[in-house]
Amino acid sequence: MRVEQKWTIQMKNSIDAVMLPQTDPFDKAVFYVSDGLRSTFSSMRFRKLSMETGEEQANVLTRDGTRCIYCDKEYIYAFLNKRILKLHRSDLTIADEYKERIPRYTDYVDSDGAEVFLLGNHNADSLSVFHLQTGRSQRKKIGGCCGIFQAEPDTFFIFNYDSILAYSLKGNRLKKIADTEHYTECARGKSGRAYLLCGGVRYSTTMISSAEYKILIYSFVPDIKMEKVIFIPKEICGRLCSAMTFRLSEDEKRLYLFDSRTIWIYSICEDKIIFQHTFSAHILNVLAEESFVITSCSLQKGYEVAGWGIL
């Protein structure tokens, strides 16, 4: 395996400290970024870029950072600090804008597809069940959030760092379905399994050289249970220059582990690290389905963003 630089582009605004670069779930040839840290509010935009060339295909003026997005086949819902923009997926033109009674500072979102949204924040104590058209919002105490995933048309799993919760939209009921070790990040595979990263420090970007990391794998059928534990090799944990995070491959055979500079690919089947690479620039995100890494570094005027394929 090797890393190959596919493209570099220069941007006037930083794309740090907002939503991570995210692939379009219906069109893997494009991904989305938001202007962020150190950008003036009057210049901030939400952008659609080509995965192949990095070329900008569309943008929309937001005057705020986009914290997270939800996509359906026709629209993208961009969650800003205090507003929601409903954008056409094709060209990012604004179809609607919502300002009244909006739950603020959304970091995680999922929806029933009928304009009911479940919204969570890293630090907020409550889950918001938000009805977009009426502006009605219900709150459920959850104690923080690091993931929301729809399990069934009526049921959502909520991940809150210390347990797994299930919320029934029809019955408006929230219940705990599993106590877990403390975890800092989660992912859900197409199989329905949940992957929980344990051992890190919540939100930290400082030196974490002595932490021990592991990933707990939970299955939900027929009943919820911990299926497997993956211990991250100690030689990795001792070399981190920031807190570790991870992404899961689409086939659930690989984990992409990374800190701010280095990526490690772990084979779940082989139970070992099969690839490692250190970048000179800061890793913004790993798009696991495409084996693609987005990096950024500061220039004298602006920022250089690069796309790297893992071949």
Side-chain angles (χ1 to χ4, degrees):
M1 301 178 74
R2 60 186 175 87
V3 167
E4 180 179 286
Q5 188 175 43
K6 297 293 187 180
W7 46 261
T8 60
I9 57 173
Q10 291 192 11
M11 304 184 73
K12 291 183 179 179
N13 284 348
S14 160
I15 56 174
D16 290 336
V18 281
M19 62 168 277
L20 298 174
Q22 182 173 324
T23 311
D24 187 309
F26 301 100
D27 181 3
K28 304 300 184 183
V30 300
F31 67 100
Y32 302 102
V33 300
S34 170
D35 293 345
L37 189 67
R38 295 180 294 276
S39 305
T40 60
F41 282 105
S42 62
S43 70
M44 295 178 78
R45 294 178 178 270
F46 178 71
R47 306 174 189 273
K48 178 180 183 179
L49 306 180
S50 164
M51 187 75 73
E52 183 178 356
T53 65
E55 180 182 0
E56 185 175 292
Q57 297 187 350
N59 72 68
V60 59
L61 183 64
T62 57
R63 295 188 174 90
D64 198 357
T66 302
R67 301 178 67 96
C68 62
I69 61 174
Y70 174 82
C71 298
D72 62 28
K73 291 183 178 180
E74 188 174 356
Y75 299 108
I76 298 171
Y77 296 84
F79 289 78
L80 314 180
N81 286 311
K82 301 177 183 179
R83 294 178 292 135
I84 302 172
L85 297 181
K86 182 178 180 180
L87 310 172
H88 292 281
R89 274 187 58 247
S90 57
D91 58 7
L92 300 188
T93 54
I94 298 175
D96 211 338
E97 181 175 7
Y98 305 90
K99 299 179 181 180
E100 302 298 326
R101 295 185 289 179
I102 304 298
R104 296 183 175 186
Y105 311 124
T106 296
D107 296 315
Y108 300 96
V109 59
D110 208 342
S111 173
D112 67 345
E115 297 197 329
V116 176
F117 291 87
L118 273 67
L119 312 177
N121 174 274
H122 281 300
N123 285 313
D125 210 31
S126 299
L127 171 77
S128 294
V129 182
F130 181 64
H131 298 255
L132 192 65
Q133 294 302 323
T134 64
R136 183 168 61 93
S137 183
Q138 300 165 293
R139 293 183 180 273
K140 297 288 183 179
K141 188 172 181 179
I142 58 173
C145 180
C146 65
I148 304 171
F149 303 98
Q150 187 177 27
E152 302 288 344
D154 176 58
T155 304
F156 296 80
F157 292 149
I158 317 297
F159 295 83
N160 72 343
Y161 302 106
D162 294 299
S163 63
I164 303 173
L165 311 173
Y167 174 74
S168 168
L169 189 60
K170 184 177 180 179
N172 189 28
R173 293 190 304 272
L174 181 71
K175 68 176 182 178
K176 182 187 294 185
I177 58 174
D179 285 306
T180 68
E181 293 186 44
H182 178 76
Y183 58 94
T184 56
E185 193 168 343
C186 65
R188 190 160 187 260
K190 289 190 173 181
S191 67
R193 294 182 180 89
Y195 296 72
L196 313 181
L197 176 64
C198 302
V201 177
R202 189 168 165 178
Y203 319 130
S204 177
T205 58
T206 59
M207 180 72 75
I208 311 292
S209 59
S210 60
E212 293 184 356
Y213 288 86
K214 58 186 174 182
I215 290 179
L216 312 181
I217 304 177
Y218 277 81
S219 60
F220 295 84
V221 178
D223 299 303
I224 186 168
K225 66 176 181 179
M226 189 169 67
E227 192 175 272
K228 185 176 180 178
V229 180
I230 296 174
F231 292 94
I232 306 303
K234 291 184 178 180
E235 58 267 27
I236 293 179
C237 299
R239 295 175 57 192
L240 296 174
C241 58
S242 67
M244 178 186 288
T245 187
F246 82 103
R247 300 291 178 263
L248 177 68
S249 67
E250 190 171 24
D251 59 10
E252 298 181 52
K253 294 181 178 180
R254 293 178 176 178
L255 295 169
Y256 294 79
L257 313 168
F258 60 101
D259 63 9
S260 61
R261 298 283 181 180
T262 302
I263 182 170
W264 298 267
I265 299 180
Y266 179 91
S267 170
I268 296 176
C269 301
E270 300 175 61
D271 195 26
K272 66 178 184 180
I273 299 295
I274 59 173
F275 181 74
Q276 173 184 330
H277 182 83
T278 299
F279 295 89
S280 59
H282 173 68
I283 298 175
L284 289 174
N285 201 14
V286 175
L287 308 178
E289 294 181 12
E290 294 75 28
S291 289
F292 206 79
V293 182
I294 309 293
T295 64
S296 175
C297 65
S298 299
L299 301 174
Q300 188 173 3
K301 292 184 178 180
Y303 301 86
E304 181 178 83
V305 178
W308 308 78
I310 302 176
L311 309 177

